[in-house]
Amino acid sequence: AINSPRGKVIEALFSHTLRVCRISDRKCGDHTEAWKIIKPIFDEELAKCENKNFEFSTLAAAYLTNINYISRDWLLSSIDKIFPKGFPETFACAIDGLSYTSASRSIYQQLLKHGVLDRALRLNRTRKRAHEKIVERIALAYLWGDETLESPRLSYLFEGDQVEDLQDAVSFFSNARRQELTKEQIERVICFWEKCVTWAEALAEPPMVLLSRLSHLICYVDTLSDREIKLLLAVAPYIEVEYHADTFIEELDRLLEQDPEKVSLVLG
C-alpha cells in the first residue's frame, strides 16, 4: 500500500493529520477543532472501503494506535467499517495492515468486542506474517490476563489442525524476556505448556516441531517438582528437531545443583 501512488497520498494524509493534532495540542492543549477540519476526508475515504479503496483499509489498520490518539470517538464508531464483515477483501487488507501497528490493551479490547480477532483467526486469505501477528496478540492478551485457556480464541487453537498457530504462540512466549514477566505470567506460560502436552498426547502422531519448540520454555522452570519433570520429559526426546539441544542442556545445567538425579533423568 505504501508503495502505490494512492497509498503514498493516504500515508501523507495520516502523517499530516498527526502533525496538525500535535501542534494543536502544544498550542491549545487539545486538538478537537483541528480534527474537525480533517475528519470529513477520513469519513469520505472510509465510506469507499467496500471491497475497494484497499490502500486506505490497509493503512487505517496500520495506523490504528495513531487513530486512537487522533480521535478515539471516530475509531470506536468506525472500527466495524475498517474491519467490515460484509467485505472480505477489505477485511483481509485491514488484517494485513494491523500486523504493522503496535499492540495495546485498549485496542485489543476493541478488536475483541467487535469480533475482529475471531474472524481473523479463521481467515485463509491473509499473509502468514499477518496471521502470526494475530496469534501473537492473543498470546500477549493471555499474559495480560485478558484471555484464558478456555476463551474462544485459545480454545480454537487447540481444535483441529492448528498446530502451526500453537507453535507461533510458543515462539512468542519463548522470546519474551523472563525478567519482564511476573510470577503470575510465568505460571500462565507453564499452564499453556501443560495444555499443549496434554493436547499432543491425544494425537495419533506426536507434533514433533511443537514439542521441540516447547523445550525452549524450560527457561521459565525454577523448581523441579513432579509437574515440571513431567513437562521436561515430554519435550526432551524432540529437542533436536529444531536444533534446540544446546539451549535445553544449558538450562538443565542451571537446574543441576537443585536435584542432580532428576536432571540426569531428563538428560537421559
Side-chain angles (χ1 to χ4, degrees), residues 78-104:
S78 303
I79 197 164
D80 284 330
K81 293 182 180 179
I82 297 173
F83 301 95
K85 290 181 181 179
F87 300 99
E89 292 179 6
T90 295
F91 182 78
C93 285
I95 294 301
D96 259 8
L98 182 65
S99 65
Y100 292 92
T101 194
S102 57
S104 78

Side-chain angles (χ1 to χ4, degrees), residues 176-183 185-186 219-220:
R177 298 295 182 186
R178 179 184 175 85
Q179 58 268 30
E180 294 177 359
L181 299 187
T182 65
K183 288 184 178 180
Q185 289 172 327
I186 291 173
C219 66
Y220 295 109

Side-chain angles (χ1 to χ4, degrees), residues 2 8 20 22 31 51 58 64 66 76 101 123 151 172 178 182 188 221 226 253 265:
I2 61 174
K8 290 178 180 179
V20 166
R22 286 165 182 157
H31 59 259
N51 282 348
T58 304
L64 214 58
N66 302 103
L76 296 182
T101 194
L123 190 66
S151 70
F172 176 80
R178 179 184 175 85
T182 65
R188 286 178 175 275
V221 173
D226 290 344
D253 185 57
L265 176 65

Side-chain angles (χ1 to χ4, degrees), residues 238-254:
Y238 305 97
I239 57 175
E240 291 187 3
V241 173
E242 286 196 328
Y243 310 104
H244 298 318
D246 289 352
T247 302
F248 191 75
I249 292 171
E250 285 175 8
E251 291 290 344
L252 285 179
D253 185 57
R254 173 176 62 85

Side-chain angles (χ1 to χ4, degrees), residues 43 50 88 101 122 124 134 146 216 220 233 246 249:
D43 290 336
E50 298 180 348
T101 194
R122 292 161 173 79
N124 294 322
I134 291 294
D146 294 337
H216 263 195
Y220 295 109
L233 288 173
D246 289 352
I249 292 171

Side-chain angles (χ1 to χ4, degrees), residues 199-212:
W199 177 80
E201 288 173 344
L203 300 178
E205 295 290 335
M208 293 190 291
V209 173
L210 174 63
L211 291 167
S212 178

